[in-house]
Amino acid sequence: MDTPDPSQLVDDVEAQFTLDAANLLAVTRAFLEDIRTGLSKYGHVPMAMVPTYLTEIPNGAEKGTSLAIDLGGTNLRVCEVEFNGDRTYSSHQQKYKVSDEYKLGEATALFDYIAECVHTFLHSPSLESSSVYKKCCSGHIDHTHPFTAPVQIALAFSFPYEQRAINSGALIRWSKGFAAKNAVGQDIVKLLQDAFDKKKMSVECAALVNDCAGALVARAYTSGGCDLATIFGTGTNGVFVEHVNKVTKLNDDRDLRMIVNTEWGAFDNDRKHLPKTPFDLKLDHESLNPGGQAFGKAIAGMFLGEVARNAFLSLVDAGALFGGKLSAQMGTQWGFDTELMSAVEEAWAGVGAHAPMAVGGGLGGEIPVRMDDGKEGTDGPAVPPLSSLVPGNESISSDQRAALDRVRSVLIAHCGYAENEVSLRDAMIVRRIVVAIAQRGAQLAGCGVAAVLVQMGFASHLRGESSSDVEANGDVKAAEVERRINMGVDGSLIEHFPNYERSLRSALKLLVGEDVESRLGIGMGKDGSGVGAALCVLQAQKDAARFS
């Protein structure tokens, strides 16, 4: 039996992550179908299309001071944000650790702890000059003084829930290591409000906000408006502003617009359209939620590194990578993460060459945001073929050798291999697989954005199809089809990963055309869980009245 050609093995793995126009169009078409099904019916597609009951989109003129709680990970954050009415704001915040005792214990204990953190924050000496402190303590500098006026607060809740009103929503399931008992199916706001009331705190939870909806609101405030927002980071999601009469499951024909939360991480959980390489399937089978969050597992930063590691394992097993040797780290689940993928690309381009950059924080320092300027960073030297990397007889340029040496240094520093165990050829293979997986993720992200643009009417149809094949949102006026489109973004991939925006935009050009893509402005909607949520408090009273 012939021994497989190592170069051919690498080509075959790389090809499995390559998507053509037909693949991307099929994914986008299915995405659009699920958007419309989710807007018309409850529970028929995994992508829930959750109405947020947020209809007041900021324009930057909002003034006032409000509070937000951000619950979604190891730390709980309480923020006070002052909006100046000129698209600027200032904020003060404090973090509090959420122990496993609260994450895994009774839900009432968790929400009692949240209330205690808010109480501590409101009576902090550093807050004594704020308008919120003066309101709740009548200006008396007495940390034991009871609140004498109600204070409204927003809860930014980064777990799946079914929204029932601007200030009501039922928890669907916990994630991110939380499993507090007797919470699933319960109204999250009521659990929090009961905790406030138990402590006799005059604090009212006025808004329940998803972090992606918060990103849209935050972007709208700082830029004067926003049409859609996405998160491409550790996790992923998308929201957009839709006509209420298009959300037919609400049975509301009023001339209003509302932010709709797609919860698109769950798109195509049965994988009829998304890629399903052996490396993706292995990740899914070994995950905490097999069969769930299929789109998220294909594009989110939490998972891309593990997909890459699975691909590397197959090449190690075939003897095509690292001389067939598996380091302890590379052999461990999550042992190669997306930060390292970013580090490989940065090293190739000669930026931050010897240390991974911060994708979510951890291994390296932050770099300037590269948004909407057409300059996605340096590509680095031309990529040499593997055949030019014969040990001892490499026919590569000095720039190529320097780039490969930098990639090799990252692998040695962070993947558990000794210097003599990583060759320039290994560095080239790793870099090729990393690029293929990252590009595929950004292209699939583009499918989600393209489907939303068609649904909103900014694109009349997908390229290669007539408007009768994929009908756009008929309520959008022709003038809107021509205007600038404002998309807020948040997340470590879109903010930091080299060439991510470029790949996403390339997919959009293919799917909806260069005219639509060129009108899409992409800007950071930072801190949707803090700034965005706090801003929703200012909007909440109007929204609550509309749907009461």
Side-chain angles (χ1 to χ4, degrees):
M1 183 174 176
D2 294 336
T3 302
D5 175 17
S7 294
Q8 186 60 51
L9 288 171
V10 175
D11 290 343
D12 290 345
V13 170
E14 187 178 42
Q16 292 184 65
F17 295 108
T18 302
L19 302 176
D20 61 19
N23 298 141
L24 295 174
L25 282 165
V27 169
T28 309
R29 195 179 302 114
F31 211 111
L32 188 58
E33 283 183 24
D34 280 8
I35 284 176
R36 291 176 174 173
T37 300
L39 289 174
S40 64
K41 303 172 185 176
Y42 286 100
H44 281 251
V45 288
M47 198 162 63
M49 305 303 297
V50 180
T52 66
Y53 298 90
L54 286 166
T55 63
E56 286 288 314
I57 312 303
N59 60 17
E62 291 74 15
K63 294 185 73 172
T65 302
S66 53
L67 299 169
I69 305 164
D70 174 17
L71 178 67
T74 302
N75 294 312
L76 162 74
R77 190 166 54 117
V78 184
C79 314
E80 180 204 49
V81 186
E82 183 175 359
F83 299 96
N84 301 319
D86 58 0
R87 302 189 185 184
T88 67
Y89 62 86
S90 58
S91 64
H92 170 74
Q93 63 178 297
Q94 183 63 51
K95 289 183 179 180
Y96 305 89
K97 185 174 178 58
V98 183
S99 68
D100 287 344
E101 175 187 355
Y102 294 120
K103 290 181 182 179
L104 307 176
E106 283 292 329
T108 51
L110 171 62
F111 284 91
D112 285 347
Y113 175 66
I114 296 172
E116 180 61 36
C117 292
V118 173
H119 183 274
T120 301
F121 179 82
L122 288 174
H123 290 85
S124 167
S126 62
L127 209 66
E128 287 174 358
S129 62
S130 78
S131 60
V132 168
Y133 183 91
K134 291 174 181 176
K135 181 179 181 182
C136 67
C137 295
S138 296
H140 297 291
I141 310 304
D142 177 358
H143 297 169
T144 62
H145 194 284
F147 297 149
T148 56
V151 176
Q152 292 194 324
I153 197 166
L155 173 61
F157 194 73
S158 302
F159 304 93
Y161 60 88
E162 185 65 47
Q163 193 116 18
R164 297 168 173 170
I166 185 66
N167 59 350
S168 176
L171 176 65
I172 296 172
R173 62 182 175 274
W174 288 114
S175 59
K176 305 178 185 179
F178 281 71
K181 302 176 183 65
N182 299 313
V184 173
Q186 298 298 307
D187 188 328
I188 303 148
V189 173
K190 186 176 186 306
L191 288 170
L192 179 59
Q193 193 63 54
D194 286 349
F196 288 146
D197 295 345
K198 190 187 304 183
K199 286 185 65 68
K200 296 183 169 36
M201 296 170 60
S202 188
V203 178
E204 176 189 4
C205 185
L208 178 65
V209 184
N210 168 273
D211 55 352
C212 195
L216 187 151
V217 171
R219 177 63 181 169
Y221 177 78
T222 58
S223 67
C226 190
D227 302 296
L228 66 156
T230 56
I231 291 178
F232 299 122
T234 304
T236 184
N237 196 10
V239 301
F240 64 100
V241 182
E242 181 58 289
H243 295 270
V244 168
N245 59 18
K246 287 288 183 179
V247 190
T248 54
K249 62 188 178 184
L250 290 178
N251 295 314
D252 190 332
D253 61 1
R254 286 180 294 174
D255 185 21
L256 292 173
R257 294 192 177 200
M258 176 192 290
I259 299 174
V260 175
N261 169 22
T262 66
E263 288 292 344
W264 73 21
F267 165 67
D268 198 28
N269 277 344
D270 54 7
R271 293 182 182 269
K272 290 182 179 178
H273 306 283
L274 289 172
K276 44 188 174 184
T277 71
F279 320 114
D280 295 292
L281 296 177
K282 182 175 184 291
L283 177 143
D284 182 47
H285 295 155
E286 295 174 352
S287 70
L288 294 175
N289 58 338
Q293 296 297 109
F295 191 60
K297 287 171 182 172
I299 75 170
M302 181 175 181
F303 304 105
L304 295 183
E306 181 65 6
V307 174
R309 189 187 72 89
N310 289 340
F312 299 151
L313 292 184
S314 72
L315 294 172
V316 170
D317 289 345
L321 182 63
F322 301 129
K325 179 176 179 178
L326 191 64
S327 71
Q329 179 172 333
M330 195 67 83
T332 302
Q333 188 180 25
W334 313 112
F336 187 93
D337 62 24
T338 308
E339 291 184 38
L340 285 171
M341 292 178 64
S342 183
V344 166
E345 272 296 83
E346 287 290 298
W348 176 263
V351 181
H354 298 292
M357 60 189 288
V359 179
L363 293 174
E366 291 188 356
I367 62 168
V369 178
R370 295 188 295 266
M371 284 285 108
D372 218 26
D373 59 2
K375 301 175 183 177
E376 271 292 305
T378 307
D379 288 330
V383 180
L386 281 178
S387 58
S388 67
L389 296 171
V390 178
N393 190 32
E394 295 96 351
S395 55
I396 57 176
S397 70
S398 59
D399 286 346
Q400 290 168 333
R401 174 179 286 278
L404 289 171
D405 270 330
R406 293 192 296 265
V407 173
R408 180 172 170 270
S409 295
V410 169
L411 299 177
I412 292 167
H414 299 287
C415 294
Y417 287 102
E419 286 200 31
N420 62 352
E421 294 172 334
V422 183
S423 67
L424 294 183
R425 183 183 176 88
D426 294 330
M428 185 70 258
I429 292 170
V430 167
R431 197 258 168 176
R432 279 179 54 180
I433 301 302
V434 160
V435 169
I437 292 171
Q439 181 170 281
R440 186 192 71 166
Q443 289 174 330
L444 289 172
C447 292
V449 175
V452 169
L453 292 177
V454 174
Q455 173 61 25
M456 295 184 75
F458 289 119
S460 61
H461 56 275
L462 298 175
R463 288 189 70 188
E465 299 178 331
S466 69
S467 56
S468 60
D469 293 327
V470 182
E471 184 184 355
N473 186 333
D475 286 349
V476 176
K477 297 179 175 62
E480 284 200 343
V481 179
E482 301 300 324
R483 73 170 172 85
R484 183 84 166 157
I485 309 161
N486 190 339
M487 182 169 86
V489 296
D490 199 1
S492 46
L493 286 172
I494 188 70
E495 186 173 1
H496 293 305
F497 202 100
N499 299 316
Y500 190 92
E501 184 185 344
R502 179 188 294 178
S503 295
L504 187 152
R505 284 187 176 277
S506 293
L508 287 176
K509 288 177 185 177
L510 186 152
L511 293 166
V512 294
E514 188 168 352
D515 173 63
V516 177
E517 180 275 327
S518 67
R519 290 188 288 113
L520 179 67
I522 299 179
M524 297 303 295
K526 291 291 286 181
D527 195 13
S529 297
V531 174
L535 192 56
C536 288
V537 172
L538 303 183
Q539 318 291 77
Q541 288 183 332
K542 296 177 185 177
D543 284 319
R546 285 194 175 111
F547 293 96
S548 60

